[in-house]
């Protein structure tokens, strides 16, 4: 990321948010936010928020406060600045700068991305006919990103005739994309620009019509679908669908067969699919099956039938089929039944095969089913803790399945699996420069007994020589929300921790779906506390089994995982030497009470609606901001982005301000705000490494910085 300017200590006295005299240079003192009490009134009680004024994004006093916190951060991190730079150089040195992805074939072209030496952003390319063909650069991210402190390409889609490109970009990091069009024969851009859209768009079969989703600029929810005719003014675009229920969001799609255009509508526990023949773009979208509470389904078509991936009477999901002419549930027939011990996560269709990404005992694996004999075969791997992901498979009539395999010790590896012969072809293992050898690292997989008897899966990795004597540093990570499962994947940056004696622990706490749908249900709404106690129970286990001690245990979580961090430090602060909370969702009751805050209404099924007293009371019982108290807290680094679209910057800013005024210890409490980025941090593959180096340097600051050098 672009480094922020350092503010002199004399500037602190000029800030309206300060309440003390400028400290001497040898004793940096944190900025103290001004108290401006605001009563937050609810039918179920009134809370006082002394820092609500930090919500005012354009207020110069707010910006001054954030900058002052950044200055304090820089001052406190000075002893490890050299180490931070070394870590960044080390991490960057493991990355092959001139690199490219494995090409995939689609409609006569091979598509891939590549990086150039020194480039922050990818080039999106293709070759016609074969890999020996001439390269055509569709989008050059490095050129497009010039002059922007933040840049991201949301997505791109090529028309059926291979001559037109729809693509989107974001230069703010609010995930409000601008849609553009390019003629691939001439290289010229079309004049129209369509602002505030979702990242993707889809072409109809006429090579002239595009469908896209418009976002509400306040809530950031995609809620309208428009039809655009290439070469016309966006003001003439036709609204074809508008979602009135603000707990639902939508997404436009095109089926793998290219036969259908789709509008995918969904909330956390209900979904609906509308479809239209791609050859009839001016027609009306039809409802596949009406939305019903607690019914989730996804639709694909193959061989003259629709296939439905659904939880209908199957909490762990199953696969159904329906004729093209009768899509209601009364016409669905079971193809793959539910299994109690296996959770289905994803379905991929081919002409002769059905592929399932499924999870058994917390491990994500692939099962291939031949339509002819309906025999299923699991693609087998030998490691204790690993994961597999279905890759880009745009072609329908092929026996080849493209997927990625990775583990704590195996870099992302791309395979083609021949579903007819069962042969596996290794296409690429992501190179790791600098002498990496997977044999030098050890992976363990354990199940921790939670306080209520449930077994929590954890995966551990460390370098050989790590001793379980309670003296080793450990970084413990979890997420535990939205049913998102955390899997053991490789990180070349993480080697900088492992090589310096750390063990890394990944905890599959409740709220994810590591152990099936019920694992998610047991960590949301009125059972959310399970996520927090699971993480604490894992910490206690690591200490009891002498992987580490409270003097060497660190915790990390981001976004909803930042909520986890906030709850844990309120409940058991003595367990941790340091905690890193990235873009943390910590002001739960206030945020969920304000429907104008981006994405709030779509989250009622995750946290509850505070308009209901039981939900209000339960959220209030764990909301990190509301439960800050006069006690000792561990050393903490809190990270946010001014343009965050998911968790607004003011949540972590207010949390830090309240912690400063309330906690009773002298441990470090640092807030770092990226003034140019959003939820995902800095853009660019190397800029983002600065964020990681900064987090690692913070932990070494609390241990032995000289030893880490």
């Amino acid at each position: 990321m672009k480094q922020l300017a350092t503010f002199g200590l004399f500037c602190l006295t000029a800030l309206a948010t300060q309440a003390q005299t400028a400290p001497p240079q040898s004793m940096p003192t944190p900025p103290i936010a001004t108290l401006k009490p605001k009563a937050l009134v609810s039918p179920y009680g009134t809370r006082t928020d002394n820092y609500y004024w930090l919500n005012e994004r354009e207020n110069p006093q707010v910006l001054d406060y954030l900058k002052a916190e950044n200055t304090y951060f820089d001052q406190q991190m000075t002893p490890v600045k050299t180490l931070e730079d070394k870590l960044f150089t080390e991490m960057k040195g493991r990355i092959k700068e001139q690199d490219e992805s494995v090409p995939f074939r689609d409609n006569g072209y091979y598509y891939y991305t590549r990086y150039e030496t020194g480039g922050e952003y990818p080039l999106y390319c293709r070759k016609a006919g074969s890999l020996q063909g001439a390269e055509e650069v569709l989008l050059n991210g490095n050129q497009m990103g010039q002059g922007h402190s933040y840049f991201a390409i949301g997505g791109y889609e090529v028309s059926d005739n291979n001559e037109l490109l729809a693509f989107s970009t974001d230069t703010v990091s609010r995930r409000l994309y601008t849609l553009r069009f390019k003629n691939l024969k001439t290289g010229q851009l079309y004049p129209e620009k369509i602002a505030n859209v979702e990242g993707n768009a889809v072409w109809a079969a006429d090579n002239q019509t595009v469908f896209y989703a418009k976002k509400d600029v306040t809530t950031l929810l995609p809620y309208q679908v428009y039809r655009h005719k290439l070469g016309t003014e966006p003001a003439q675009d036709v609204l074809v669908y508008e979602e009135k229920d603000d707990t639902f969001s939508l997404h436009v799609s095109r089926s793998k067969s290219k036969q259908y255009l789709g509008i995918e509508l969904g909330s956390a526990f209900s979904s609906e699919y509308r479809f239209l023949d791609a050859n009839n773009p001016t027609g009306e979208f039809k409802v596949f099956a009406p939305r019903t509470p607690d019914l989730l389904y996804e639709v694909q078509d193959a061989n003259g039938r629709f296939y439905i991936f659904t939880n209908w009477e199957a909490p762990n999901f199953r696969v159904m089929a329906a004729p093209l002419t009768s899509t209601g549930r009364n016409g669905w027939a079971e193809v793959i039944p539910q299994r109690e011990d296996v959770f289905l996560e994803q379905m991929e269709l081919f002409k002769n095969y059905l592929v399932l990404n499924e999870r058994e005992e917390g491990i994500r694996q692939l099962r291939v089913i031949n339509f002819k004999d309906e025999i299923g075969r699991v693609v087998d791997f030998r490691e204790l803790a690993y994961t597999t992901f279905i890759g880009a498979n745009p072609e329908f009539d092929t026996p080849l399945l493209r997927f990625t395999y990775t583990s704590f010790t195996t870099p992302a590896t791309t395979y083609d699996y021949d579903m007819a012969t069962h042969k596996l072809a290794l296409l690429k293992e992501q190179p790791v420069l600098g002498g990496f050898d997977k044999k030098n690292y050890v992976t363990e997989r354990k199940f921790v007994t939670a306080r209520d008897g449930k077994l929590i899966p954890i995966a551990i990795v460390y370098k050989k020589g790590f001793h379980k004597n309670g003296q080793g540093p450990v970084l413990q990570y979890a997420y535990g929300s939205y049913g998102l499962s955390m899997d053991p994947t490789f990180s070349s940056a993480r080697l900088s921790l492992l090589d310096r004696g750390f063990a890394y622990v990944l905890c599959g706490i409740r709220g994810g779906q590591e152990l099936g749908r019920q694992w998610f249900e047991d960590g949301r709404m009125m059972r959310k506390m399970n996520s927090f106690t699971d993480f604490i129970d894992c910490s206690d286990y690591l200490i009891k089994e002498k992987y580490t001690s409270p003097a060497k245990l660190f915790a990390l979580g981001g976004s909803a995982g930042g909520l986890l961090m906030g709850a844990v430090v309120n409940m058991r602060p003595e367990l941790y030497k340091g905690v890193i909370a990235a873009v943390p969702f910590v002001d739960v009751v206030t945020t969920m009470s304000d429907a104008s805050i981006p994405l709030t209404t779509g989250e009622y099924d995750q946290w509850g609606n505070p308009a209901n007293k039981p939900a209000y009371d339960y959220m209030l019982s764990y909301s990190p901001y509301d439960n800050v108290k006069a006690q000792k807290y561990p050393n903490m680094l809190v990270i946010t982005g001014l343009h965050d679209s998911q968790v607004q910057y003011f949540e972590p800013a207010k949390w830090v301000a309240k912690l400063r005024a309330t906690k009773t210890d002298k441990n470090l409490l640092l807030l770092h705000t990226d003034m140019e980025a959003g939820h995902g941090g800095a853009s660019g593959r190397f800029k983002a490494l600065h964020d990681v180096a900064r987090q690692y340097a913070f932990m070494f600051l609390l241990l032995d910085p000289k030893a880490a050098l």
Side-chain angles (χ1 to χ4, degrees):
M1 61 173 282
K2 184 177 179 181
Q3 293 297 314
L4 299 171
T6 301
F7 288 78
L9 289 171
F10 66 91
C11 292
L12 298 179
T13 58
L15 298 178
T17 55
Q18 302 296 294
Q20 75 278 326
T21 304
Q25 291 188 12
S26 60
M27 297 178 62
T29 302
I32 304 300
T34 302
L35 300 177
K36 298 182 180 180
K38 179 179 176 62
L40 302 178
V41 180
S42 162
Y44 315 120
T46 298
R47 295 172 299 128
T48 299
D49 188 343
N50 289 324
Y51 306 103
Y52 191 87
W53 66 275
L54 287 172
N55 292 31
E56 302 166 11
R57 187 188 306 271
E58 306 302 325
N59 184 339
Q61 293 183 3
V62 172
L63 298 176
D64 285 345
Y65 172 72
L66 297 177
K67 291 173 183 177
E69 285 282 7
N70 282 349
T71 297
Y72 177 67
F73 169 86
D74 290 338
Q75 292 167 342
Q76 293 290 358
M77 292 288 286
T78 297
V80 288
K81 180 58 181 170
T82 299
L83 174 60
E84 180 185 328
D85 293 340
K86 181 178 181 179
L87 288 168
F88 169 77
T89 301
E90 197 175 275
M91 295 171 189
K92 183 179 178 182
R94 296 192 188 101
I95 297 174
K96 183 181 179 183
E97 292 203 39
Q98 189 167 327
D99 198 10
E100 66 180 52
S101 66
V102 179
F104 63 87
R105 191 174 184 275
D106 185 20
N107 198 21
Y109 282 80
Y110 287 88
Y111 289 86
Y112 58 98
T113 59
R114 65 178 177 84
Y115 285 94
E116 295 180 332
T117 300
E120 288 283 356
Y121 305 107
L123 283 71
Y124 294 84
C125 310
R126 69 178 183 178
K127 293 180 179 180
S130 75
L131 293 176
Q132 286 68 50
E135 179 180 82
E136 179 184 356
V137 177
L138 306 179
L139 299 170
N140 186 325
N142 293 317
Q143 292 179 3
M144 297 165 68
Q146 286 181 1
H148 299 291
S149 57
Y150 178 91
F151 175 75
I153 293 173
Y156 73 94
E157 193 75 24
V158 178
S159 60
D160 290 9
N161 63 6
N162 292 314
E163 295 179 0
L164 302 165
L165 181 73
F167 68 95
S168 65
T169 59
D170 175 15
T171 58
V172 177
S173 192
R174 290 287 284 174
R175 302 185 186 181
L176 290 169
Y177 294 92
T178 297
L179 182 63
R180 299 291 310 273
F181 304 96
K182 182 178 181 180
N183 188 310
L184 297 178
K185 293 180 70 175
T186 66
Q188 297 300 306
L189 289 173
Y190 284 78
E192 56 257 49
K193 298 179 182 180
I194 306 174
N196 302 324
V197 303
E198 192 188 28
N200 79 306
V202 293
W203 292 94
D206 64 356
N207 303 301
Q208 286 294 309
T209 306
V210 174
F211 291 83
Y212 63 88
K214 195 85 169 177
K215 283 189 169 185
D216 184 300
V217 296
T218 301
T219 66
L220 302 184
L221 285 171
Y223 73 111
Q224 294 175 322
V225 175
Y226 281 89
R227 183 176 68 238
H228 175 76
K229 190 80 168 179
L230 192 63
T232 64
E233 290 292 329
Q236 301 174 6
D237 291 355
V238 178
L239 176 65
V240 298
Y241 181 79
E242 181 171 0
E243 178 56 52
K244 302 293 187 180
D245 185 342
D246 61 7
T247 66
F248 276 71
S249 63
L250 57 81
H251 174 77
V252 293
S253 62
R254 179 105 180 253
S255 67
K256 187 172 179 177
S257 69
K258 303 292 187 182
Q259 182 64 41
Y260 297 104
L261 300 162
I263 301 175
E264 300 171 7
L265 301 143
S267 66
F269 297 94
S270 180
S271 59
E272 183 176 279
Y273 179 69
R274 295 172 179 242
F275 64 104
L276 174 66
D277 190 319
N279 291 291
N280 181 29
T282 59
E284 291 189 10
F285 283 83
K286 298 178 181 178
V287 176
F288 188 88
R291 66 186 68 175
T292 302
D294 298 318
L295 171 65
L296 295 170
Y297 72 91
E298 299 174 8
V299 179
Q300 297 181 35
D301 66 287
N303 304 322
R305 292 203 297 177
F306 285 116
Y307 286 81
I308 306 103
F309 183 78
T310 181
N311 71 339
W312 181 35
E313 298 180 349
N316 275 346
F317 287 77
R318 59 178 170 165
V319 179
M320 314 285 281
L324 298 180
T325 55
S326 179
T327 62
R329 274 191 290 168
N330 58 348
W332 296 5
E334 187 172 77
V335 177
I336 303 294
Q338 174 188 235
R339 287 170 289 165
E340 299 231 346
D341 58 343
V342 177
F343 176 64
L344 302 186
E345 289 200 333
Q346 185 182 0
M347 171 181 73
E348 183 78 28
L349 282 176
F350 297 85
K351 182 177 181 180
N352 297 315
Y353 302 94
L354 168 64
V355 179
L356 296 171
N357 222 169
E358 60 185 29
R359 192 177 294 276
E360 187 171 7
E361 293 186 345
I363 295 295
R364 196 178 192 191
Q365 59 192 21
L366 295 169
R367 188 156 68 104
V368 178
I369 299 156
N370 190 320
F371 280 135
K372 293 180 180 178
D373 54 24
E374 297 186 353
I375 295 176
R377 180 184 294 265
V378 174
V379 184
D380 189 30
F381 292 95
R382 303 296 180 187
E383 292 191 74
L384 279 175
Y386 66 88
T387 190
T388 55
F389 303 94
I390 296 173
N393 291 276
E395 293 202 313
F396 180 64
D397 189 4
T398 176
L400 297 180
L401 167 69
R402 173 70 53 83
F403 72 92
T404 297
Y405 172 92
T406 183
S407 73
F408 276 153
T409 58
T410 304
T413 306
T414 304
Y415 288 97
D416 271 352
Y417 177 70
D418 191 314
M419 295 179 283
T421 65
H422 315 303
K423 291 182 178 180
L424 202 59
L426 171 63
L427 302 181
K428 179 182 179 180
E429 181 176 289
Q430 186 62 38
V432 181
L433 307 182
F436 166 73
D437 185 347
K438 66 175 69 178
K439 296 186 181 67
N440 292 331
Y441 302 87
V442 177
T443 297
E444 296 182 9
R445 192 159 186 267
K446 306 285 185 179
F447 284 87
V448 174
T449 302
R451 61 194 65 189
D452 63 357
K454 298 293 185 181
L455 296 179
I456 309 162
I458 68 171
I460 307 168
V461 63
Y462 49 81
K463 192 173 184 179
K464 288 180 178 178
F466 179 88
H467 299 293
K468 300 173 191 175
N469 57 8
Q471 300 302 309
V474 166
L475 177 59
Q476 180 184 345
Y477 173 82
Y479 186 74
S481 289
Y482 300 107
L484 297 178
S485 299
M486 298 293 105
D487 294 299
T489 59
F490 185 80
S491 165
S492 63
R494 190 190 300 134
L495 296 176
S496 291
L497 278 187
L498 304 184
D499 290 348
R500 288 173 171 82
F502 264 81
Y504 177 81
V505 181
L506 178 66
C507 303
I509 62 176
R510 279 173 279 190
Q513 291 183 138
E514 287 86 352
L515 296 182
R517 188 68 176 180
Q518 192 60 48
W519 201 245
F520 167 46
E521 294 286 351
D522 287 343
R524 75 173 184 95
M525 297 286 283
M526 309 300 280
R527 301 176 198 164
K528 187 62 200 167
M529 197 67 73
N530 285 332
S531 302
F532 314 140
T533 56
D534 281 0
F535 190 86
I536 290 169
D537 291 344
C538 288
S539 300
D540 282 330
Y541 171 86
L542 295 170
I543 294 168
K544 179 184 177 183
E545 297 299 317
K546 295 189 179 302
Y547 284 91
T548 190
S549 69
K552 297 287 183 71
L553 178 58
F554 294 84
L556 168 65
S559 195
L563 162 65
L564 172 69
M565 295 298 100
V568 163
V569 295
N570 282 334
M571 295 167 67
R572 290 290 302 280
E574 77 281 1
L575 286 177
Y576 309 98
K577 177 68 173 181
V579 171
I580 300 173
V583 293
F585 171 45
V586 287
D587 192 10
V588 182
V589 178
T590 304
T591 292
M592 294 306 298
S593 299
D594 187 349
S596 70
I597 292 178
L599 310 181
T600 292
T601 53
E603 310 244 315
Y604 290 152
D605 287 333
Q606 300 292 336
W607 316 105
N609 185 343
N612 303 318
K613 189 176 190 308
Y616 177 92
D617 290 341
Y618 191 75
M619 282 187 279
L620 190 61
S621 74
Y622 68 76
S623 173
Y625 185 64
D626 291 289
N627 286 280
V628 169
K629 49 183 167 287
Q631 66 176 11
K632 293 181 179 180
Y633 283 85
N635 300 280
M636 295 174 63
L637 169 59
V638 181
I639 302 164
T640 187
L642 183 62
H643 303 294
D644 197 323
S645 59
Q646 311 299 109
V647 178
Q648 305 304 299
Y649 75 90
F650 46 76
E651 290 200 41
K654 293 196 307 177
W655 184 42
V656 167
K658 188 173 183 179
L659 281 166
R660 286 208 193 287
T662 309
K663 71 191 189 80
T664 61
D665 60 83
K666 295 183 179 180
N667 289 331
L668 274 182
L669 174 58
L670 303 179
L671 172 66
H672 183 270
T673 304
D674 189 327
M675 307 299 284
E676 298 168 342
H679 198 64
S683 63
R685 59 175 178 161
F686 297 131
K687 289 180 181 179
L689 287 179
H690 282 291
D691 295 341
V692 181
R694 187 180 299 113
Q695 295 174 31
Y696 288 3
F698 169 75
M699 290 189 288
F700 286 118
L701 175 67
L702 303 175
L703 296 172
D704 186 351
K706 292 182 180 179
L709 280 169

